[in-house]
Amino acid sequence: MSLAAESPSPSPSSSSGSDDFAALLDAELDLASAVDSASAGDPSTSPTSSDDKEDDDEDAVADVETVEQSSAKRRKVKVQYQDRETAIRPDEDSIGSSEDAQIKICPPHPGYFGGLCFRCGKRQDEEDVPGVAFGYVHKGLRLGTSEIDRLRGSDLKNLLRERKLILILDLDHTLINSTKLHDISAAENNLGIQTAASKDDPNGSLFTLEGMQMLTKLRPFVRKFLKEASNMFEMYIYTMGDKAYAIEIAKLLDPRNVYFNSKVISNSDCTQRHQKGLDMVLGAESVAVILDDTEYVWQKHKENLILMERYHYFASSCRQFGFSVKSLSELMQDERGSDGALATILDVLKRC
């Protein structure tokens, strides 16, 4: 969906037109000057006969007509040139009129990019704040309600044409489980879990996020789930985690950027504190399906939600939710892939 407004083609340079007009004007002035000299009479020349005088009178009349024609032509050319210059470089009155015309088109402003309306170019004022910031689409992008509705309508037509719906995917405890390195239990340390995660295995499921001092475990079956779900859905990631974290996890789940295409929404994008909302999704609510392990963050969209069984792999995750049991990592076990939570949900989605 392209949001950029089409810009008019730049006006051609007027330098050649200016040269042509100057040359024409010089020629006209030379002609007028010559005729003026002739009509006034040359001091070095005196009439010799009455016939010559009559001829001179006729020539003078012709010269006057020529001067008048030349003056008229000059005025016509000058007016045409001035009109052309006005079209190329409008004067202040023209600019004011143009701005008035643009203001009549906006408001309402469809949206802003970098603080400027992408239709009329007006700078965003405090009274223009209403709208939603779509920073995950592009930094500095804010869309108004009418533009959001238009884009959602366009997206819905495309989805119906492709026979797809929209799938909103949570990350933590839904597709993955993560832990801070300092939260790794003694048992996990003794089993060498951090060493195992350090191995460079693109087909593995346990990864170290060095810059964030974290370990992340992909839920079994997640790769096949995403591949098959992408045939039925346009997919978004929507997490309450930080932006940098969300982007790093998206790279693990979608290294070629074919599933999400940068549609990664994080806590900094939310319009309401501690709540997720479909207002951040450029797709129709009526065709959106949400997979999340937490219900209360979707207060306004519970009818769209499929509640997921939580994935607890690390010991810290079990402790966080009050489970006084050994974690899957400590038991050196994992959730079954072929008939686990994601495989089961995929079957449900296929039947929808």
Side-chain angles (χ1 to χ4, degrees):
M1 293 170 282
S2 177
L3 300 173
E6 292 184 4
S7 300
S9 299
S11 301
S13 172
S14 61
S15 61
S16 59
S18 178
D19 293 342
D20 293 341
F21 176 68
L24 179 60
L25 193 57
D26 288 342
E28 295 293 345
L29 288 172
D30 290 343
L31 177 59
S33 177
V35 172
D36 289 343
S37 298
S39 61
D42 189 338
S44 64
T45 306
S46 59
T48 57
S49 68
S50 60
D51 291 339
D52 291 339
K53 183 177 181 180
E54 290 177 0
D55 291 341
D56 290 342
D57 291 340
E58 291 176 359
D59 291 341
V61 171
D63 290 339
V64 170
E65 291 177 351
T66 301
V67 170
E68 291 176 349
Q69 292 173 356
S70 299
S71 299
K73 184 175 181 181
R74 174 180 173 179
R75 287 194 299 272
K76 183 177 180 180
V77 172
K78 186 173 183 179
V79 168
Q80 290 176 343
Y81 180 76
Q82 288 174 338
D83 289 343
R84 180 173 180 272
E85 286 292 279
T86 300
I88 294 173
R89 293 191 297 272
D91 57 21
E92 293 181 0
D93 292 338
S94 300
I95 292 174
S97 301
S98 176
E99 288 178 349
D100 290 342
Q102 290 174 337
I103 291 172
K104 289 177 182 178
I105 296 174
C106 297
H109 300 282
Y112 296 90
F113 190 83
L116 300 176
C117 173
F118 51 72
R119 178 192 287 161
C120 71
K122 181 179 180 293
R123 184 168 295 281
Q124 180 179 342
D125 296 327
E126 290 184 5
E127 63 268 20
D128 299 323
V129 168
V132 179
F134 286 85
Y136 73 91
V137 176
H138 202 292
K139 185 178 180 180
L141 177 64
R142 175 178 286 271
L143 300 178
T145 302
S146 59
E147 183 66 6
I148 293 172
D149 291 341
R150 186 189 71 80
L151 292 173
R152 284 177 176 161
S154 176
D155 185 66
L156 180 59
K157 291 179 182 178
N158 293 335
L159 290 174
L160 294 176
R161 188 182 305 115
E162 298 174 7
R163 302 178 65 83
K164 286 187 174 184
L165 301 177
I166 294 173
L167 184 61
I168 314 297
L169 296 168
D170 175 51
L171 288 181
D172 293 292
H173 304 107
T174 299
L175 300 183
I176 63 165
N177 191 206
S178 295
T179 184
K180 291 285 188 180
L181 294 182
H182 60 72
D183 288 331
I184 294 175
S185 69
E188 288 172 326
N189 264 325
N190 292 335
L191 292 170
I193 190 170
Q194 189 171 347
T195 303
S198 299
K199 292 182 179 178
D200 186 14
D201 183 4
N203 297 317
S205 61
L206 189 60
F207 300 90
T208 301
L209 303 181
E210 294 287 356
M212 299 179 182
Q213 294 294 291
M214 297 180 71
L215 291 183
T216 290
K217 174 69 171 61
L218 304 188
R219 195 168 197 168
F221 197 76
V222 67
R223 288 194 175 96
K224 187 173 183 180
F225 172 86
L226 293 175
K227 182 177 181 180
E228 296 197 23
S230 67
N231 296 322
M232 302 181 288
F233 296 93
E234 177 182 328
M235 298 191 296
Y236 287 75
I237 285 176
Y238 202 144
T239 177
M240 294 300 279
D242 294 339
K243 174 70 71 179
Y245 171 72
I247 290 174
E248 285 300 313
I249 300 301
K251 290 177 182 178
L252 296 178
L253 295 171
D254 184 17
R256 296 182 181 178
N257 199 27
V258 295
Y259 298 143
F260 304 112
N261 192 24
S262 302
K263 295 190 289 291
V264 180
I265 306 172
S266 64
N267 58 7
S268 61
D269 300 306
C270 297
T271 56
Q272 187 175 349
R273 188 175 176 81
H274 303 311
Q275 284 290 305
K276 298 179 179 180
L278 293 179
D279 55 345
M280 291 306 308
V281 176
L282 288 174
E285 181 178 337
S286 59
V287 295
V289 179
I290 303 167
L291 296 186
D292 203 317
D293 68 286
T294 307
E295 183 179 13
Y296 77 84
V297 297
W298 292 103
Q299 291 295 320
K300 295 182 180 180
H301 308 287
K302 290 182 178 181
E303 64 278 7
N304 301 82
L305 175 65
I306 296 178
L307 195 61
M308 291 289 296
E309 177 185 349
R310 285 195 176 102
Y311 179 49
H312 299 289
Y313 182 77
F314 296 107
S316 63
S317 181
C318 293
R319 293 194 302 268
Q320 177 186 352
F321 287 87
F323 300 132
S324 56
V325 296
K326 283 190 174 183
S327 65
L328 291 173
S329 60
E330 291 172 327
L331 294 171
M332 299 186 67
Q333 297 177 1
D334 207 348
E335 184 180 278
R336 290 166 61 94
S338 58
D339 58 357
L342 288 178
T344 301
I345 288 296
L346 183 61
D347 288 339
V348 171
L349 295 177
K350 286 180 176 180
R351 291 196 297 266
C352 291

